[in-house]
Amino acid sequence: MYHAAVTGWGMYVPEHVLTNDDLTQFMDTSDEWIRSRTGIRERRVAGATETTTTMAAAAGRAACLKAGIDPTELELIIVGTFTPDQYMPSTASLVQHELGASSAAAFDLNTACSGFVYAMAVGSQFVQTGAYSRVLIIGADFASRFLDYSDRGTAILFGDGAGAVVLQRSEKKEGVLSIELGSDGSAGRHLTLGGAESFVGLNGARKIDRPFLKMNGAEVFRFAVRIMGEAAATATTKAGLTFDDIDLLIPHQANSRIIEAAAKRLQMPRERVWVNVDRYANTSCASIPICLVEAEQTGRLTDGMNVVVIGFGGGLTWAAAVLRWGATGVKRGDAT
Ligand code: UT7
């Protein structure tokens, strides 16, 4: 068995900043309410020429550049997203074309906001078994196109963006050390996009509504706090580590209160928890890779550090992984 080291990382967020005060222009809300209940100050919103594919491709291109590989060398691209531009072709195939990654297999994976960590879990299997040695994992979402701005409890929470990592075959114990995935379909009704009525067949009633993201916030909140604690603990144990060995916790950025409550349960001090929900809100599948990029860029994440990443979202699903940052065991020619 090989290891799947993280050799490159990249992110993309749209330029357009939508502040809480901007939202008050067309919604019955306030900056004070949003800040105190969620920690969010502003979010990025995709412009007229931006799509899930363009954002994903930009993040993927940056990750390849950082890894020092040409996209033509990629063998697999997985895009975690619940907001693809089309049902078909997949966002991953569209990204493959944008990048010129002509040798890569490509598919999308939809587990809502936990999609990036799920995709990383799947991609790492191909690397660890030796089937592939260069895999691009992208998390990208364009949730703002599915928000109902008359639903103030949901619309304030989301922003758009993309993040990506390159996984490469390594001879050393680094990169993805453990994974912990799960799903509770019995609670799926608490977070949905497009009801069954959007998918009627030939003999069904023809009721095509524009699909909107709908959420039972309180239920998702309770679930998130519990599952983040449990999944992080299990992934850490599976990696043969304890929380004392964890240098950085990167939780899905949905709400600062959820993050604080989960960190408290895990007895993880604030300085070991990455938070940027104030600037981007919930970017769904992009949330965790954006955090990885920012943590690395600011010097908070360096070679040899152990990081726990934890995603949760529609399904309801969850996904945690322990990563050891660095790529010392990647052979020359496989990384810079
Ligand atoms: O990636 C997965 C994602 N989703 C999540 O993780 C979200 C999880 N849930 C949450 O973050 C929180 O439940 C929310 C932020 C959505 C809501 O916070 P809350 O503290 O649970 O508020 P609430 O829903 O209990 O609402 C409290 C009050 C209500 O008014 P009344 O009925 O008490 O008069 C709401 O109508 O706040 C009102 N409210 C608002 N007021 C101003 C709800 N949204 C807003 C708003 N501005 N945007």
Side-chain angles (χ1 to χ4, degrees), residues 166-214:
V166 172
L167 297 179
Q168 285 188 253
R169 182 187 299 172
S170 170
E171 309 278 348
K172 290 228 177 104
K173 190 175 174 186
E174 57 193 0
V176 182
L177 299 188
S178 69
I179 51 175
E180 166 66 8
L181 308 178
S183 170
D184 176 9
S186 71
R189 66 188 181 285
H190 296 312
L191 190 47
T192 61
L193 174 55
E197 69 274 12
S198 309
F199 297 94
V200 291
L202 188 61
N203 297 318
R206 285 269 159 201
K207 180 172 175 287
I208 311 292
D209 287 332
R210 187 177 163 199
F212 286 120
L213 216 164
K214 291 185 184 150

Side-chain angles (χ1 to χ4, degrees), residues 255-272:
N255 181 325
S256 60
R257 284 163 56 220
I258 294 178
I259 296 171
E260 279 159 23
K264 198 170 162 199
R265 278 191 174 207
L266 294 167
Q267 298 182 324
M268 191 62 89
R270 174 66 188 85
E271 60 275 14
R272 280 200 270 155

Side-chain angles (χ1 to χ4, degrees), residues 28-29 33 37-38 113 152-153 156-157 191 215 217-218 220-221 252 254-255 257-258 282 312:
D28 181 17
T29 189
W33 192 96
R37 299 293 180 114
T38 71
C113 298
R152 61 182 183 168
I156 54 145
L157 295 172
L191 190 47
M215 185 178 66
V220 178
F221 194 108
H252 174 47
N255 181 325
R257 284 163 56 220
I258 294 178
N282 181 347
F312 65 88

Side-chain angles (χ1 to χ4, degrees), residues 3-79:
H3 299 279
V6 180
T7 59
W9 44 89
M11 62 176 272
Y12 177 86
V13 287
E15 259 182 46
H16 183 194
V17 176
L18 187 71
T19 65
N20 293 342
D21 281 334
D22 293 335
L23 286 172
T24 63
Q25 305 301 310
F26 54 93
M27 197 191 287
D28 181 17
T29 189
S30 66
D31 177 52
E32 198 283 326
W33 192 96
I34 300 174
R35 275 189 205 230
S36 62
R37 299 293 180 114
T38 71
I40 298 166
R41 285 191 287 122
E42 59 190 38
R43 73 281 296 135
R44 301 297 180 97
V45 178
T49 59
E50 288 166 316
T51 64
T52 304
T53 303
T54 63
M55 294 191 288
R61 196 176 287 114
C64 289
L65 199 66
K66 186 80 188 173
I69 63 167
D70 190 271
T72 54
E73 298 175 74
L74 291 171
E75 294 159 295
L76 175 64
I77 299 171
I78 311 177
V79 178

